[in-house]
Amino acid sequence: MAVTYKDYYESLGVPRTATADEIKKAHRKLARKYHPDLNPGDKQAEEKFREVQEAYEVLSESEKRQKYDHLGADWKQGEQFRPPPDWQQEAFYRGGAGSFRSGGFEADFETGENGFGGFSDFFETLFRGRGGARAGAGFRMRGRDIEAEAPITLEEAHRGTRRRLTLPIDGQKTLEVTIPAGVRDGTVLRLAGQGEPGAQGGPAGDLLVQIRLEPHPRFIIEDGDNLVLELPVAPWEAVLGAKVSVQTLDGQVQLTIRPGSQAGQKLRLRGQGLQRRDGSPSDLLVKLKVVVPTNPPSEERKLWEQLAAVSTFKPRGE
C-alpha cells in the first residue's frame, strides 16, 4: 500500500544533520506555538501540532531516526511511498499502545478513534506495521510551567532561607519554598509538579522560581562569588598601618592594614565571602577608601599645617 511520504526534518524546520539538542529545541518551540490549549478551535494548529509530535517521536529516538534515515534523502514530501521489500515492520511500541513525553508535553496513544486522532499512515506503515488495529490517540496534556520571583537578602543567599509564595493556580495556591544557601541573582529553582494541573489527567507543570538578590547597604558581589566591602580609613592608618575591625556576613574579623597602603587598594580576606552552592566560601575583598576630616578643629589643623611644612612627599611626582 502506498502512503504519503513525510519529511520529518522539514516538519521541525531542522536540517538532516541536526543534533539531538537542536531537534529537541525545535520541537519545544513548535509544540508550544501550536499547542491545542493555546489555539482552541484552530484545526490547522491542531493538525500542525500532530505533525510536530509525530516528527519528534521519530527523530528524537536514535533507533527510529536511523531507520527513517535509511530511506535516503531523495524522497520528496507528498510523493507516494512504498517501503522496500526487506523493510522491517517492527513495532517500536511494544504491544498495542505506548506513550512519550518530550519538551513539556505528554501524549498517550491508545487503540480507537478518539481525541486528536492517530499518527499518519506513513508513521504506522514504518513503525507499527499493518497487522493490528489502527491506533488512535488521546492526548494527556502536561500543565504549563508557572514562573515566580523570590527577592532575598544577601544574608539569606549566604545561609539559605524559606519563602511563602502565592501562585495563580486554582484561584490562589500558597506554597512554601526552600531556598538553599549559595544561590545567586538570577538562579532558577525548579519545583517539579507544582505548576498548573495537566489536562485530561496529564501531569502538572513545574514551578520555576527565579531568585532576585536585593541590593545590600555594605556589600556588592564581584566576579559572581566574591564580596567587596569599601572600608573607610584615616590618612595616618594608611600611612602608618593599623589593625581595624571589619564586618563580614558572619561577624567581625580583624584586618591588618600595612604601612603605605593606598586608596582603592583591595585586601583579601580568604573564606570570608559568600557561600557557594557546593558549600565552599568565597573571599571578601576589602577596598580601602582614605577619608580626611572636612572641618578639623584649630589644634588639629595646626598639626596638618606642620605636617605639610616638613613633608617631602610629592603626590603628583613633581
Side-chain angles (χ1 to χ4, degrees):
M1 174 183 177
V3 296
T4 302
Y5 176 80
K6 287 185 174 290
D7 189 334
Y8 290 140
Y9 291 98
E10 183 175 311
S11 296
L12 292 180
V14 297
R16 288 182 173 268
T17 57
T19 64
D21 187 56
E22 290 170 337
I23 289 172
K24 183 177 181 179
K25 288 180 179 179
H27 166 259
R28 182 175 297 173
K29 178 181 178 181
L30 293 173
R32 286 186 180 276
K33 179 178 179 180
Y34 296 110
H35 196 288
D37 285 354
L38 303 180
N39 301 274
D42 190 334
K43 296 298 182 182
Q44 290 184 339
E46 183 179 307
E47 181 60 33
K48 185 63 178 178
F49 181 76
R50 275 199 300 263
E51 179 183 327
V52 167
Q53 295 292 64
E54 179 176 323
Y56 186 72
E57 167 66 11
V58 174
L59 300 184
S60 65
E61 296 186 16
S62 59
E63 195 174 0
K64 289 183 182 178
R65 183 179 180 182
Q66 183 179 9
K67 187 176 182 181
Y68 175 76
D69 288 345
H70 182 63
L71 296 174
D74 295 333
W75 293 94
K76 304 297 183 183
Q77 186 170 9
E79 290 189 359
Q80 295 300 300
F81 166 75
R82 289 182 183 275
D86 60 347
W87 193 256
Q88 296 179 1
Q89 298 289 347
E90 56 189 88
F92 279 79
Y93 287 112
R94 293 171 174 81
S99 66
F100 74 91
R101 175 181 176 183
S102 57
F105 304 92
E106 178 169 307
D108 281 356
F109 301 93
E110 302 171 351
T111 302
E113 299 294 338
N114 53 26
F116 291 104
F119 280 161
S120 69
D121 289 344
F122 178 73
F123 178 90
E124 292 187 12
T125 298
L126 295 185
F127 301 110
R128 296 186 62 91
R130 288 294 184 175
R134 179 176 178 178
F139 278 76
R140 290 193 305 139
M141 296 301 173
R142 177 180 183 273
R144 287 185 296 178
D145 293 341
I146 296 293
E147 296 181 357
E149 188 178 81
I152 63 173
T153 66
L154 200 59
E155 287 83 358
E156 290 173 328
H158 180 58
R159 301 184 183 93
T161 187
R162 298 179 70 85
R163 275 290 182 277
R164 185 174 294 275
L165 302 179
T166 300
L167 309 175
I169 301 175
D170 296 331
Q172 280 192 342
K173 173 183 176 180
T174 301
L175 183 70
E176 191 168 75
V177 177
T178 298
I179 300 175
V183 296
R184 297 293 184 266
D185 190 62
T187 295
V188 176
L189 306 177
R190 180 182 291 272
L191 281 72
Q194 297 296 333
E196 286 191 353
Q200 300 183 19
D206 298 339
L207 171 62
L208 307 178
V209 181
Q210 184 173 35
I211 301 301
R212 180 173 60 82
L213 286 184
E214 297 176 330
H216 197 277
R218 292 191 302 273
F219 302 104
I220 62 173
I221 300 178
E222 184 177 88
D223 298 330
D225 281 316
N226 294 326
L227 289 183
V228 177
L229 170 68
E230 191 172 65
L231 179 69
V233 295
W236 52 88
E237 290 177 322
V239 173
L240 304 176
K243 287 186 178 292
V244 298
S245 181
V246 174
Q247 178 67 44
T248 74
L249 289 174
D250 294 315
Q252 298 282 337
V253 298
Q254 289 295 307
L255 173 69
T256 298
I257 300 175
R258 296 180 179 178
S261 293
Q262 300 295 312
Q265 183 177 346
K266 290 181 180 178
L267 307 180
R268 185 180 296 269
L269 288 173
R270 297 194 179 277
Q272 297 295 332
L274 196 61
Q275 182 168 313
R276 302 184 178 97
R277 289 296 295 270
D278 62 4
S280 64
S282 65
D283 298 337
L284 173 62
L285 304 178
V286 180
K287 183 178 181 181
L288 301 182
K289 178 183 179 181
V290 177
V291 294
V292 300
T294 57
N295 189 26
S298 58
E299 185 175 352
E300 186 175 332
R301 183 179 180 85
K302 290 179 182 178
L303 293 175
W304 285 105
E305 291 171 349
Q306 292 175 18
L307 176 61
V310 301
S311 177
T312 59
F313 176 60
K314 298 183 181 302
R316 292 168 295 280
E318 299 170 354

